[in-house]
Amino acid sequence: MKKIGLTTVALGAVALVGATFGGAGDAAAQERKFISIGTGGPTGVYFVVGNSVCRMVHKEAAEGRKKGRKHGIRCAAPSTGGSTYNIGQICQGELEFGVAQSDWQFHAVNGSSDKVTNCPGLRAVFSVHPEPFHLIAADGSGIASFTDTKGKRMNIGNPGSGQRGTTEVLMSGYGMSADDYAVATELTSTEQSQALCDGKIDAYGYTVGVPNAGVAVATDGCGAYIANLDGEVEQKLVADNPFYAFTTIPAGTYKTTAEDVTTFGVMATFVSHESVPEDVVYEVTRAVMENLDDFRSLHPAFRNLDPANMIKDGLSAPLHPGAAKYYQEKGWM
Ligand code: GLU
């Protein structure tokens, strides 16, 4: 049987106190369930998603204790390599939840790409914010399109990141490989902007929510700009794949975005696995949906979160029954 990875710890001390003082505390109070949420680099938006979800789960736990509605879940959201790392770990039962790009969710559940673990047991919980693919180029690099990165020093992203996979999809679309670059670096999202400002790379590709403090390090810090990606290759990617759509990074987002930038993008999605118990996914979903105003206030990329879209946009894996149960109770499905 697949390892669930969810640790249930019976708190002996609580049980003992209960016995000594005449049975105070029910069975739920004696159980602690630990869940881990895979995120991304510490300067990305996924890290904020994961830690916001934990915050809402713990808030519900605190309020539940007052009202006698206990879920016993304790949550952690460590920094990770990103989307494809998270999916791989969820599939092996090492993480219970994770944030992942909708393109890699699709490929994992359909087994349609060798860039992500084939994971038929992957389950969708909800989607979060849109993630445009950013081609970020150094001031004076002359890069105005993806083909212009040929012969340059390009950060293609760390293995395990969604940005690495999506950059490679774009490279194959343009008939390019890592050999077409003067140097192809594998820096993390946290390293890439400083590397660009230090003159170590000319460009990088990054799939991320808007605005992002990491991107601002390059745009506002050393005049890097975001190039449009709306040529034939991107048009074909959008036309052929349900998980891509054209999107706009609005003028004024960063110091160098004087005009709207047109590019293609995906959705950030929150995923789990069929082996994670229904009650755990139900409680996490409930904690998020009951505290959406809090969630919206925790990052500007979450400002427009709307349950009507969150329960369907970018979700190609089947909904986890724990999430579906909550949505049905609310009459949303
Ligand atoms: N989309 C990126 C990835 O999958 C992560 C973006 C973020 O950390 O916000 O690697």
Side-chain angles (χ1 to χ4, degrees):
M1 210 188 92
K2 176 166 281 296
K3 188 175 151 221
I4 292 173
L6 192 88
T7 329
T8 301
V9 183
L11 287 186
V14 174
L16 194 69
V17 170
T20 311
F21 294 101
D26 56 24
Q30 294 165 25
E31 269 185 11
R32 293 283 181 270
K33 297 170 202 156
F34 293 96
I35 58 165
S36 296
I37 303 172
T39 63
T43 54
V45 184
Y46 284 13
F47 192 67
V48 188
V49 172
N51 284 282
S52 301
V53 170
C54 284
R55 187 175 160 140
M56 294 182 275
V57 165
H58 294 155
K59 181 181 171 194
E60 281 300 311
E63 290 184 358
R65 276 194 293 277
K66 287 182 228 150
K67 295 178 194 151
R69 190 187 177 283
K70 301 185 176 77
H71 65 50
I73 301 172
R74 296 292 175 273
C75 183
S79 158
T80 71
S83 289
T84 54
Y85 173 89
N86 296 340
I87 290 172
Q89 294 297 102
I90 288 170
C91 214
Q92 286 176 23
E94 298 293 338
L95 290 171
E96 287 71 41
F97 295 92
V99 193
Q101 292 179 200
S102 51
D103 47 351
W104 300 116
Q105 178 189 144
F106 179 97
H107 288 307
V109 81
N110 291 297
S112 45
S113 170
D114 59 6
K115 301 185 201 305
V116 66
T117 308
N118 180 4
C119 188
L122 193 71
R123 291 293 173 266
V125 183
F126 52 82
S127 58
V128 202
H129 54 282
E131 294 191 279
F133 182 87
H134 298 56
L135 173 60
I136 305 199
D139 188 21
S141 63
I143 295 169
S145 68
F146 198 80
T147 5
D148 291 341
T149 62
K150 259 189 201 168
K152 307 274 189 195
R153 297 163 304 163
M154 172 86 168
N155 183 43
I156 59 173
N158 64 286
S161 67
Q163 74 186 85
R164 169 63 172 267
T166 309
T167 301
E168 286 179 345
V169 166
L170 212 43
M171 285 160 59
S172 354
Y174 278 93
M176 289 163 63
S177 74
D179 295 341
D180 286 302
Y181 294 118
V183 185
T185 57
E186 297 188 311
L187 302 173
T188 66
S189 57
T190 306
E191 297 164 327
Q192 61 197 2
S193 286
Q194 199 52 52
L196 188 137
C197 287
D198 289 346
K200 293 182 178 138
I201 55 170
D202 303 305
Y204 64 84
Y206 191 20
T207 330
V208 71
V210 178
N212 169 245
V215 170
V217 168
T219 53
D220 300 19
C222 63
Y225 59 93
I226 310 169
N228 286 304
L229 288 177
D230 55 357
E232 267 175 41
V233 170
E234 292 84 13
Q235 279 169 24
K236 186 165 162 45
L237 282 177
V238 170
D240 292 352
N241 297 290
F243 40 78
Y244 293 136
F246 277 111
T247 178
T248 299
I249 301 166
T253 304
Y254 301 105
K255 271 191 187 161
T256 54
T257 15
E259 288 167 18
D260 286 358
V261 175
T262 304
T263 182
F264 72 105
V266 294
M267 291 298 293
T269 69
F270 196 77
V271 293
S272 185
H273 195 270
E274 62 179 2
S275 64
V276 177
E278 183 175 317
D279 62 322
V280 171
V281 180
Y282 175 87
E283 290 298 342
V284 171
T285 307
R286 182 182 179 281
V288 168
M289 296 297 166
E290 301 279 321
N291 293 284
L292 266 186
D293 281 335
D294 286 358
F295 198 4
R296 291 187 192 102
S297 72
L298 291 170
H299 193 286
F302 308 153
R303 203 180 287 144
N304 298 319
L305 291 181
D306 175 353
N309 303 326
M310 292 171 80
I311 68 171
K312 62 175 178 37
D313 287 359
L315 307 182
S316 43
L319 266 184
H320 192 288
K325 183 178 168 210
Y326 180 79
Y327 302 149
Q328 274 154 4
E329 275 175 19
K330 296 296 280 186
W332 294 344
M333 284 176 57

